[in-house]
Amino acid sequence: MAGSSSMDTEAAGQQLKHGSGYSIPATAHAVDTDSWQQVGLLMVIGFNCAYVLSFSNLMMVPLGWAWGVACLLLVGAAAWYANWLLAGLHFVDGQRFIRYRDLMGFVFGRNMYYITWFLQFTTLLLCNMGFILLGARALKAINSEFTHTPARLQWFVTATGFIYFAFAYFVPTISAMRNWLATSAALTLAYDVALLAILIRDGKSNKQKDYNVHGTQAEKVFNALGAVAAIVVCNTSGLLPEIQSTVREPAVRGMRRALLLQYTAGAAGYYGISVAGYWAYGSAVSEYLPNELGGPRWAAVLINATAFLQSIVSQHLFTVPIHEAMDTRLQRLDEGMFSRYNLTRRLCARGLVFGFNVFVTALFPFMGDFVNLVGSFALVPLTFTFPSMAILKIKGKSGGRCNRLWHWGIIVFSSVLCVATTAAAVRLIFNNARIYHFFADM
């Protein structure tokens, strides 16, 4: 490949030979250790996280019933196909690519490596801030059930960030999460069942549901584009190679099986909650679903508590690539993750990441408006555009004319979608800028 080099990988000069004949870049984290069932379960619970409590408002309200359900299905299918393609690029020219940015750097050169790095890390940092905010809102909602003067949101942001930090410190890698998956799955099932039960009850008793899409024609178009971006966020992560790096051989077939599990059983969970929330409350559904719930106090406490506890595991999945990059740079790779030297370095690295994220989240407690921007600006190219670009570059003319036209069509369409949804997301932020206040108690 023109312009490609193993020096475009993050751990340049530290290639390790695998027993199967391919090489992988050195990393502080485990590679080639987990079954596809474990990874599939991790992805299912990772995407069925506290974010589902906002999806009815973000995805269904701007689109209405017909377009909402259609976009859920179409975007979900497109995300599955795009990730299926990306999983097939895990091995190229005798190398196993455990980082997305390494793959793009190898195929297109160093500039593309840095572009992918920027898009990935921007997504992951904002995603982690969103998790911190949602976790804080869950804790504040619990506190509000027991007092008329709940503490400020910033206290809960700090508490959430510290708990996330502790989990990331003692459970440092994706593979190390295996012991927590059963607990997380049980928590997911608990709040999904409780939430659905209350939504069904409220939906039956609510006779004044309004399903109309409100606003001027221009507002409807921009809001619909924002909803499409939110649907992209709920279906993909932009870090598939990093997750796939832990899958045992055959990694491509195993990852594709895990993706099938995510986009069937997994999608049924967060799509079901999103549709049920919209059905129960219509266009008046809250941006944080538990705020709407009727029923006893214990039910609201249960839903918020289980959602918060489950998010501890989910958020870790979406920040591990940042931790892996820092651990690989700072730790001694010939020592275990829990050696004294590596524990000290990890304490500093995790503290830096979560300290920054907690401060920014407390300063700007309106991260929901940035979900659409993440989906449009970063996840659309990472999910749809880049895999087709890489396939065209790797296969060249050998892929056949129809195949080339298909992938060029994906590139053009996803690029237009990226521009349109980014414009809609930026417009939303500018329109809401007047109500933003630093350290607001939302």
Side-chain angles (χ1 to χ4, degrees), residues 240-385:
L240 187 88
E242 287 80 357
I243 298 174
Q244 190 174 0
S245 68
T246 70
V247 180
R248 291 195 297 261
E249 289 286 357
V252 172
R253 186 171 66 183
M255 192 68 227
R256 285 174 170 172
R257 288 177 174 176
L259 285 170
L260 185 61
L261 183 63
Q262 177 200 344
Y263 285 102
T264 51
Y270 53 80
Y271 276 11
I273 293 294
S274 304
V275 171
Y278 184 62
W279 168 79
Y281 307 114
S283 58
V285 65
S286 171
E287 64 176 12
Y288 184 66
L289 200 52
N291 290 344
E292 297 281 350
L293 301 179
R297 174 189 294 177
W298 67 262
V301 172
L302 173 66
I303 290 169
N304 281 292
T306 51
F308 172 79
L309 292 172
Q310 192 275 343
S311 73
I312 298 173
V313 177
S314 292
Q315 63 84 29
H316 191 46
L317 173 65
F318 298 101
T319 51
V320 160
I322 296 176
H323 301 324
E324 187 275 334
M326 299 185 74
D327 292 344
T328 300
R329 293 285 186 183
L330 300 176
Q331 294 186 9
R332 292 174 179 169
L333 303 188
D334 58 343
E335 298 182 11
M337 290 293 292
F338 291 92
S339 71
R340 179 178 298 180
Y341 179 88
N342 287 344
L343 281 171
T344 302
R345 290 300 184 95
R346 186 159 74 246
L347 180 69
C348 297
R350 300 292 192 275
L352 179 65
V353 171
F354 284 100
F356 172 79
N357 286 357
V358 165
F359 175 76
V360 174
T361 305
L363 183 65
F364 302 103
F366 31 78
M367 299 303 299
D369 287 355
F370 292 87
V371 171
N372 294 354
L373 183 62
V374 171
S376 56
F377 175 69
L379 285 181
V380 169
L382 287 173
T383 302
F384 302 111
T385 311

Side-chain angles (χ1 to χ4, degrees), residues 22 24 30-36 39-40 42-43 82-91 96-100 103 174-175 237-259 317 321:
Y22 54 80
I24 58 173
V31 175
D32 199 25
T33 59
D34 304 331
S35 67
W36 72 264
V39 173
L42 177 63
M43 295 174 71
N83 282 299
W84 185 88
L85 290 177
L86 184 56
L89 298 174
H90 200 56
F91 300 93
R96 181 174 185 172
F97 289 94
I98 64 172
R99 307 179 186 98
Y100 199 166
L103 169 65
I174 290 179
S175 294
S237 61
L239 51 94
L240 187 88
E242 287 80 357
I243 298 174
Q244 190 174 0
S245 68
T246 70
V247 180
R248 291 195 297 261
E249 289 286 357
V252 172
R253 186 171 66 183
M255 192 68 227
R256 285 174 170 172
R257 288 177 174 176
L259 285 170
L317 173 65

Side-chain angles (χ1 to χ4, degrees), residues 10 18 26 36 51 53 66 75 80 143 179-180 185 223 260 286 292 296 308 313 324 326 328 356 358 387 393 412 439:
E10 184 154 314
H18 189 272
W36 72 264
Y51 273 114
L53 303 177
V75 175
W80 169 79
N143 183 238
N179 297 324
W180 297 87
N223 291 339
L260 185 61
S286 171
E292 297 281 350
F308 172 79
V313 177
E324 187 275 334
M326 299 185 74
T328 300
F356 172 79
V358 165
K393 180 70 171 180
V412 172
F439 297 107

Side-chain angles (χ1 to χ4, degrees), residues 36 63 100 107 128 138 190 198 214 234 240 254 259 262 264 351 399 428:
W36 72 264
L63 293 169
Y100 199 166
V107 176
N128 184 248
I198 296 177
H214 300 283
C234 89
L240 187 88
L259 285 170
Q262 177 200 344
T264 51
L428 174 66

